[in-house]
Amino acid sequence: MARSVFLASLPISLRSAALAVAATLAVLAPASTSEAAVELLHGFADTGRHPYALTRAGDGAFYGVTREGGVFASGTIFRIESDGTFSSLHSFDPAVDGASPSARLTLGPDGALYGSTAQGGAFALGTLFRITTSGSFASLHSFSGSNGSTPVAALTVGGDGALYGCASGGGASGTGTLFRVATDGLFSHLHDFAANGGWPRTELTRGSDGNLYGTTSEGGTWGAGTVFRITTSGVYSVVTHIVFNGMSQEPYAALTLGSDAALYGSIYAGGANGYGYVFRVTTTSVFSVVHDFTSSEGRPYAPLSQESGALYGSTVGDSLGYGTLFKLTTTGGYTTLHGFTGSDGWSPSSSALVSGGDGALYGSTGAGGALGEGALFKITTSGAFTLLHSFDADLDGSEVK
């Protein structure tokens, strides 16, 4: 079993020990001579552990969260500049503002950053929050179960300036909900999942038609998940049902709007080679496969990013076991840009790469780096890789999202 898949199956208490051993092995292992030169700018241990993906704010800096670590050992919010300058902005207090943030931050129309925690808050079922770039934090909503629970996906700004998202559990059937929250915290419960999809785990994507599109990890005709659409007024419909072929094929990654107005997504398993695939679906439900992954390439887990007409993404469980970064054209041309070695990161996070406006894409790994607790990096579209920060769990937090 690939290391990244094995770790995901471990409880948090055992995962940290496994990561520590793996990090030691990674540092001792020789780097591949085919890789671009790597420059280490920052690594996470006393400053946090296992970072998730980044969001670029209006000040040009990048912001993110860690699932663990910090003052209360329940996660942190951090800021990092493109030169590697790092600061921790907030430590989550489980009883007050939530715990275990499990998705990237979203830049709101007011310049503040919005996010969710999977646990904690008034009912211990997760929260929604707001933080300014100067570190002023406010809790906006605590999930109660009837209106959702355990939100693990990022929020999406709708055409009306409100933020939309999904909760992976709770609601009328216990299989998740869709909701709307205004920047002042006014919360609206839009939809309860049932037979036509359930357990949504990914952020929504705003389509060219102004509607919001997402995926469910289960349900639908074949029980393998769906692609769905919801309007800002709450009208829900299924765009397509993911076909089950005897393998677990849940769409773990959010959809990406392409320059051709189609939506691109990925499936973690199945396809021609059994290692997952990238698909294209139009808003009129025309579905096609763009690329089938191989064992040496790994499995797609994170959403795709679009830069200059091409798609960029990451895999886990490749032949070396540390994960890769890749480029994919909309016609199926595939290039591996970077293979992680452990010391420069391990297991790319479940969020998309972020454009820095400087010709590079920025991202994170959930493990590895100098201290084994996760790393932040940048990579150019031609494959030049730079390690920006290695996390320290007590200072930065851990499990960056």
Side-chain angles (χ1 to χ4, degrees), residues 125 142-151 167-171 176-177 179 187 189 192:
L125 295 174
S142 287
F143 286 90
S144 63
S146 61
N147 61 13
S149 68
T150 322
S168 62
T177 66
F179 60 84
F187 181 91
H189 179 180
D192 290 296

Side-chain angles (χ1 to χ4, degrees), residues 351-366:
S351 295
L353 300 172
V354 179
S355 175
D358 56 359
L361 294 159
Y362 291 75
S364 64
T365 65

Side-chain angles (χ1 to χ4, degrees), residues 109-337:
D110 55 357
L113 296 152
Y114 293 81
S116 62
T117 67
Q119 301 172 26
F123 304 98
L125 295 174
T127 69
L128 302 175
F129 64 84
R130 175 185 187 269
I131 190 168
T132 66
T133 54
S134 60
S136 178
F137 181 94
S139 184
L140 299 178
H141 179 76
S142 287
F143 286 90
S144 63
S146 61
N147 61 13
S149 68
T150 322
V152 294
L155 303 172
T156 300
V157 179
D160 56 359
L163 296 132
Y164 293 81
C166 63
S168 62
S173 301
T175 55
T177 66
L178 295 172
F179 60 84
R180 174 188 187 273
V181 63
T183 55
D184 63 0
L186 180 63
F187 181 91
S188 302
H189 179 180
L190 297 179
H191 178 75
D192 290 296
F193 285 95
N196 274 340
W199 293 280
R201 299 172 184 167
T202 65
E203 65 187 274
L204 303 174
T205 299
R206 188 176 167 189
S208 58
D209 56 2
N211 294 317
L212 298 159
Y213 293 81
T215 62
T216 63
S217 60
E218 297 183 29
T221 301
W222 291 281
T226 66
V227 176
F228 66 82
R229 169 176 46 235
I230 190 166
T231 68
T232 54
S233 60
V235 178
Y236 176 91
S237 57
V238 173
V239 176
T240 191
H241 297 262
I242 305 300
V243 176
F244 180 72
N245 68 352
M247 301 183 70
S248 176
Q249 292 185 249
E250 294 91 347
Y252 291 130
L255 302 170
T256 298
L257 180 64
S259 56
D260 56 0
L263 296 155
Y264 291 82
S266 63
I267 303 296
Y268 180 76
N273 304 310
Y275 285 86
Y277 56 90
V278 170
F279 66 84
R280 176 185 186 273
V281 63
T282 68
T283 56
T284 55
S285 304
V286 178
F287 183 95
S288 59
V289 173
V290 179
H291 177 75
D292 284 292
F293 288 87
T294 66
S295 59
S296 62
E297 293 168 349
R299 301 178 185 274
Y301 189 70
L304 302 167
S305 297
Q306 184 169 262
E307 186 79 7
S308 303
L311 300 166
Y312 294 83
S314 61
T315 66
V316 296
D318 60 300
S319 55
L320 294 179
Y322 296 108
T324 73
L325 302 174
F326 66 84
K327 174 183 178 180
L328 178 67
T329 68
T330 55
T331 56
Y334 186 92
T335 304
T336 298
L337 296 178

Side-chain angles (χ1 to χ4, degrees), residues 42 54 80 314 325 338 340 344-345 348-349 353-354 361-365 375-379 385-389:
H42 185 87
L54 303 172
I80 189 168
S314 61
L325 302 174
H338 181 75
F340 289 97
D344 63 352
S349 77
L353 300 172
V354 179
L361 294 159
Y362 291 75
S364 64
T365 65
L376 304 177
F377 63 84
K378 70 176 180 180
I379 188 166
F385 182 94
T386 302
L387 184 58
L388 296 175
H389 179 85

